[in-house]
Amino acid sequence: MSDAATGTVLHLAGIEKAYNKGKPNEVQVLRGAGLRVARGEVVALVAPSGAGKSTLLHIAGLLDTPDAGRVEIAGEAMQGRSDRRRTAVRRAEVGFVYQFHHLLPEFSALENIMLPQLANGVTKTQAEARARDLLESVGIAPRAAHRPAALSGGEQQRVAFCRAMANAPRLLLADEPTGNLDPDTSDRVFDALMALVRDTGLSALIATHNLELAARMDRRVEMDAGVLRPA
Ligand code: ADP
């Protein structure tokens, strides 16, 4: 059956990736990694630093291409697609969150969440309404007009979650999303992220080396020697 019919939102198969290919400093990071993430499923990607988590997330999110293997998003095979199509699928279906918020410093929290929607053709009024709803749902509506520098680390990350969700993607990819926060803040911010994910029913692949956070997800996969295994 097709991925669309089975409700698979992300399907990776036989993913291989090396950096500096053919050079003396070649490093083979992925050696046939495979994974399926179902609709509404939250999967923890657990591995030590340097194992290849970011590499895998970038490939899954169409920011990089594998040397071999298949990437399917919501049933659409992405290999051989034009850059234009890959960008369109990424914009519509994928939300990214990083360890550092990467918010635009000269824009308010609200505007940071509106911008990806405006880039996607949504009207200003609609974009603002959705941005306010999202800020409300992570408990920081009163911070809407603040620029990132005037927000705490936890608040900045909440805004980054809202921005990732702005275009209602089907897939959230997160790379150590609370890795830069103190343990208490990390816990609360992670709760906010999970609530947002559950509310919207989206699928998520979240890289972490925090085993307590990993235990709160539906399923864990471990990256070892370039492949993924159930953990
Ligand atoms: P993780 O996210 O698990 O820390 P990464 O995917 O960032 O791991 O990196 C995996 C390996 O690939 C590391 O050894 C890293 O040094 C190497 N690597 C990552 N990006 C590049 C790059 N652009 N060029 C060369 N090597 C890289």
Side-chain angles (χ1 to χ4, degrees):
M1 241 195 293
S2 73
D3 282 349
T6 56
T8 300
V9 169
L10 172 67
H11 184 185
L12 303 175
I15 302 291
E16 294 180 21
K17 181 73 181 179
Y19 292 109
N20 305 318
K21 223 173 164 47
K23 298 192 185 142
N25 58 347
E26 174 172 329
V27 40
Q28 185 75 37
V29 181
L30 302 176
R31 301 170 182 268
L35 176 71
R36 273 177 195 272
V37 182
R39 187 181 305 144
E41 190 180 34
V42 179
V43 178
L45 173 59
V46 185
S49 188
K53 299 184 296 296
S54 305
T55 301
L56 188 88
L57 290 172
H58 284 153
I59 289 172
L62 310 178
L63 293 169
D64 200 357
T65 47
D67 300 327
R70 293 202 321 274
V71 179
E72 293 178 24
I73 309 260
E76 179 170 346
M78 298 311 305
Q79 59 273 21
R81 295 283 174 169
S82 64
D83 282 350
R84 198 191 163 97
R85 180 65 193 151
R86 289 168 60 87
T87 302
V89 172
R90 185 170 65 242
R91 270 206 191 130
E93 308 287 11
V94 185
F96 265 102
V97 181
Y98 298 93
Q99 185 172 352
F100 298 97
H101 57 82
H102 295 305
L103 297 170
L104 297 173
E106 65 276 40
F107 292 98
S108 68
L110 190 78
E111 289 163 342
N112 266 281
I113 305 167
M114 289 172 66
L115 286 169
Q117 301 179 72
L118 299 175
N120 215 23
V122 172
T123 66
K124 211 172 154 196
T125 315
Q126 284 175 318
E128 179 170 343
R130 177 158 175 82
R132 288 198 188 279
D133 281 352
L134 284 164
L135 284 170
E136 177 86 50
S137 69
V138 295
I140 54 166
R143 299 278 181 275
H146 294 231
R147 289 187 180 185
L151 300 171
S152 71
E155 288 168 345
Q156 290 167 342
Q157 238 8 24
R158 286 172 202 245
V159 177
F161 299 161
C162 295
R163 181 186 51 184
M165 310 279 186
N167 285 328
R170 273 189 262 204
L171 176 65
L172 177 78
L173 299 172
D175 198 350
E176 303 274 1
T178 62
N180 191 36
L181 304 172
D182 65 73
D184 275 358
T185 309
S186 164
D187 235 40
R188 282 184 284 115
V189 168
F190 186 77
D191 282 345
L193 176 63
M194 286 300 276
L196 202 54
V197 166
R198 297 302 188 196
D199 272 3
T200 48
L202 100 170
S203 311
L205 179 60
I206 303 178
T208 182
H209 43 228
N210 181 330
L211 295 179
E212 277 171 35
L213 295 187
R216 286 153 66 183
M217 301 187 215
D218 298 328
R219 184 157 68 85
R220 285 148 294 283
V221 294
E222 206 167 67
M223 184 176 280
D224 180 31
V227 297
L228 294 173
R229 299 197 181 88

